[in-house]
Amino acid sequence: MCGIVGIVGKSPVNQSLFDALTVLQHRGQDAAGIVTIDQGMFHLRKENGLVRDVFRNRHMQRLTGKFGIGHARYPTAGTSSSAEAQPFYVNSPFGIAFAHNGNLTNGHELQEEVFRTAKRHINTNSDSELLLNIFAHELQESSGLELTPEEVFTAVKKVHRKIRGAYAVVAAVIGHGMVAFRDPFGIRPLALGKRKTEQGDEYMVASESVAIDAVDFTFIRDVAPGEAIYVTENGELHTQQCAENPTNTPCIFEFVYFARPDSFIDGISVYASRVNMGKKLGQKIAREWADKDIDVVIPIPETSMDVALQIAIELDRPYRQGYVKNRYIGRTFIMPGQTMRRKSVRRKLNAIKSEFKGKNVLLVDDSVVRGTTSEQIIEMARESGAKKVYFASAAPEIRFPNVYGIDMPSANELIAYGREIDEICELIKADGLIFQDIDDLVDAVNEENPSITRFETSVFNGQYITGDVDNAYLERIDMARSEGSKNAMIQTELSNLEMHNLDLANED
């Protein structure tokens, strides 16, 4: 899961791009990058790290121009590499910088095709670089020296026909303008904004509406599934539906976990959907756990707080903040590597012992993925004096791999894979465990926009919306992930050895 942003302005855009990426930081904490265009040249800064650490004053001063794009990266392969920081760029045709949120499901075969038909070399393992080269090739085949909106849309149509998976894209084409498009299923979000100035209209696209709000643009609408947006450098907006059979099936995990509560995605208030989740889960708890002697409801900050408050209302129990979050530690779910996640839980949360001592507590979290965080949080509650610790998840059991850009592609890493609820409860050492029903989850989100008839829910039910994911595919990515993890471990060991040798040298 990543955050993308693009702005065509009438004044320098570097600060607005930076501010937007900061607001989208929750979508990716591995790497960040910005490309601006000025006088026919790219100005690029990208590196591993948080937005605030990647961009210093000297970098911002070099990011000149009234047009640019940005990216906050989340490593979908579970590893971290500065070589895969975005935006990527190619010199032909025209010069294109490119940022992508999502994951392609047919990337393996496309890489071979790109080399064979377009003679283009892919320098990383990133499917974003692959998608860039496919788009660049189609744009080159479709356009002349002067790039027209129709030529842009023709290229996007060809891209849609070739690639499968989840993707929201923004691209900057030197001398011409900004292109943005969304996959035909609308799995990954993309919003369009506008700002009126004395010099003319400015346009912006971003992964979430909150980024548009943050830089004083006005949210216009969501980019439709399969739709392409083209904004010329002069600020002329062109749009066209480029997919043959688009259908709006957004990823429901955006509403459960990833998106900020103050965002609207596809006409749905993320905050309101989470309140609805809490209401439905609270009703289920009241129904099925009438015998449980719950004294207090405590959320695991921060995504589950709105859910937990509504559960407390439904149960008529006190709502308390039992954990204090260190806001300078990243989100453990999207951290690369299980070891890093395990070490981060205790540094991220600290218990307020008075809220636990002698009480039967109901802990509420947004989901249970690997179980690492849940187990340690329950242990912290017991250490703080809780008599009993019950656990509620705002999402159903996650039993299947995700292939659309969320870092949980291996079923073996999922605690619910092949296990019943009582087994999961025993593993995380809770006194009781309850999950949201999938129908209730869908209804909770759908209630805010009834026009959406289906959501992407594959992690819960194994039904992959793109229709091209089978066991052979899942086994292949599992094998690739295992190999990638081994390589990452080797690199870590080599790095530790180098540091050890350096320490010895310094002692000598």
Side-chain angles (χ1 to χ4, degrees):
M1 194 67 59
C2 301
I4 64 173
V5 59
I7 300 175
V8 178
K10 299 297 181 180
S11 59
V13 296
N14 54 352
Q15 188 64 51
S16 291
L17 290 170
F18 174 89
D19 292 342
L21 286 182
T22 302
V23 171
L24 295 173
Q25 185 74 86
H26 60 285
R27 299 186 66 86
Q29 299 162 12
D30 179 61
I34 290 176
V35 164
T36 58
I37 296 175
D38 191 21
Q39 298 181 353
M41 294 184 65
F42 283 134
H43 299 277
L44 169 65
R45 167 62 181 171
K46 62 178 182 177
E47 189 54 79
N48 277 8
L50 300 176
V51 174
R52 65 170 185 243
D53 298 322
V54 169
F55 302 102
R56 301 295 185 182
N57 286 339
R58 63 183 185 276
H59 304 126
M60 295 296 289
Q61 290 169 4
R62 291 199 298 265
L63 293 171
T64 57
K66 302 175 184 179
F67 170 27
I69 66 174
H71 186 268
R73 179 177 183 265
Y74 153 80
T76 55
T79 58
S80 176
S81 170
S82 59
E84 296 189 1
Q86 297 184 41
F88 289 113
Y89 74 90
V90 291
N91 292 320
S92 176
F94 309 113
I96 304 172
F98 190 93
H100 162 225
N101 172 32
N103 189 60
L104 303 186
T105 53
N106 63 335
H108 182 72
E109 51 262 41
L110 284 174
Q111 188 157 358
E112 190 174 310
E113 181 184 335
V114 165
F115 179 77
R116 188 178 65 253
T117 62
K119 299 180 178 64
R120 287 179 175 268
H121 172 70
I122 310 301
N123 200 49
T124 70
N125 293 321
S126 172
D127 61 347
S128 302
E129 187 191 10
L130 175 63
L131 181 48
L132 163 59
N133 277 273
I134 292 170
F135 173 67
H137 175 67
E138 297 302 343
L139 196 63
Q140 185 166 315
E141 294 291 302
S142 303
S143 63
L145 288 176
E146 295 300 323
L147 186 60
T148 67
E150 190 54 45
E151 289 169 340
V152 170
F153 298 140
T154 298
V156 175
K157 288 176 184 177
K158 292 179 178 179
V159 170
H160 282 327
R161 293 190 195 110
K162 279 190 174 181
I163 67 176
R164 297 191 299 271
Y167 50 95
V169 164
V170 62
V173 185
I174 284 184
H176 297 284
M178 177 177 71
V179 182
F181 54 92
R182 192 178 178 193
D183 69 75
F185 293 97
I187 300 172
R188 297 274 74 89
L190 191 62
L192 174 66
K194 179 179 179 180
R195 180 167 63 188
K196 290 185 175 293
T197 71
E198 293 181 357
Q199 294 77 31
D201 293 338
E202 300 177 313
Y203 288 95
M204 174 180 181
V205 294
S207 292
E208 294 183 34
S209 63
V210 67
I212 293 173
D213 300 337
V215 296
D216 202 28
F217 276 65
T218 299
F219 171 75
I220 299 176
R221 61 180 176 85
D222 294 282
V223 177
E227 184 183 20
I229 304 290
Y230 177 50
V231 183
T232 68
E233 283 191 320
N234 295 326
E236 298 172 356
L237 174 67
H238 304 270
T239 69
Q240 188 175 118
Q241 177 55 253
C242 295
E244 295 173 357
N245 297 296
T247 175
N248 201 6
T249 51
C251 174
I252 206 163
F253 218 70
E254 290 278 357
F255 304 95
V256 171
Y257 178 82
F258 276 106
R260 275 181 44 150
D262 44 347
S263 281
F264 283 77
I265 296 175
D266 292 312
I268 297 170
S269 162
V270 176
Y271 169 77
S273 71
R274 289 176 183 166
V275 171
N276 294 341
M277 291 175 208
K279 182 176 182 179
K280 290 183 179 298
L281 184 55
Q283 291 170 350
K284 180 180 179 180
I285 294 169
R287 227 175 23 246
E288 299 185 8
W289 277 8
D291 60 329
K292 297 283 193 275
D293 46 350
I294 297 169
D295 295 320
V296 63
V297 179
I298 295 177
I300 312 304
E302 293 178 320
T303 319
S304 64
M305 292 168 66
D306 303 323
V307 177
L309 178 57
Q310 193 62 36
I311 289 174
I313 293 171
E314 293 295 324
L315 299 180
D316 194 23
R317 292 291 184 273
Y319 169 88
R320 294 288 185 269
Q321 298 288 341
Y323 293 98
V324 176
K325 179 182 177 182
N326 180 353
R327 299 179 187 276
Y328 301 97
I329 297 292
R331 302 177 89 179
T332 53
F333 171 64
I334 64 176
M335 283 185 172
Q338 180 78 342
T339 302
M340 181 71 77
R341 280 186 291 268
R342 187 175 291 278
K343 288 182 178 179
S344 296
V345 174
R346 292 274 180 164
R347 296 202 303 266
K348 183 174 106 169
L349 294 176
N350 190 47
I352 301 174
K353 294 184 178 181
S354 59
E355 295 299 335
F356 293 92
K357 190 172 182 179
K359 298 177 183 177
N360 300 323
V361 300
L362 172 62
L363 302 182
V364 181
D365 209 351
D366 48 70
S367 57
V368 180
V369 183
R370 298 167 178 88
T372 306
T373 301
S374 305
E375 180 187 355
Q376 292 192 47
I377 286 172
I378 290 169
E379 184 180 335
M380 290 169 65
R382 295 196 190 283
E383 290 173 355
S384 299
K387 289 196 298 184
K388 292 183 180 178
V389 183
Y390 305 112
F391 203 92
S393 169
E397 307 93 303
I398 297 173
R399 299 187 182 277
F400 299 91
N402 183 277
V403 299
Y404 299 126
I406 301 176
D407 183 23
M408 45 181 174
S410 175
N412 294 323
E413 293 183 11
L414 306 175
I415 193 171
Y417 176 69
R419 295 188 178 99
E420 298 301 322
I421 294 178
D422 56 348
E423 295 177 275
I424 303 169
C425 182
E426 186 177 349
L427 284 172
I428 65 174
K429 300 179 177 62
D431 293 299
L433 174 63
I434 195 166
F435 288 91
Q436 182 92 264
D437 292 332
I438 188 167
D439 289 343
D440 283 347
L441 174 62
V442 170
D443 288 346
V445 183
N446 184 236
E447 187 175 327
E448 299 306 308
N449 184 2
S451 68
I452 299 178
T453 58
R454 186 178 180 185
F455 291 87
E456 203 298 302
T457 57
S458 58
V459 296
F460 307 121
N461 57 19
Q463 298 173 11
Y464 295 94
I465 197 71
T466 53
D468 60 337
V469 178
D470 55 19
N471 287 333
Y473 176 87
L474 296 176
E475 288 173 4
R476 186 167 68 248
I477 63 171
D478 196 9
M479 188 179 301
R481 180 181 178 83
S482 298
E483 189 62 35
S485 297
K486 289 178 185 176
N487 291 337
M489 288 175 63
I490 292 170
Q491 292 299 320
T492 300
E493 289 301 320
L494 288 173
S495 177
N496 290 340
L497 182 60
E498 289 175 1
M499 292 300 295
H500 177 67
N501 290 339
L502 182 61
D503 290 340
L504 291 176
N506 289 337
E507 287 176 6
D508 291 344

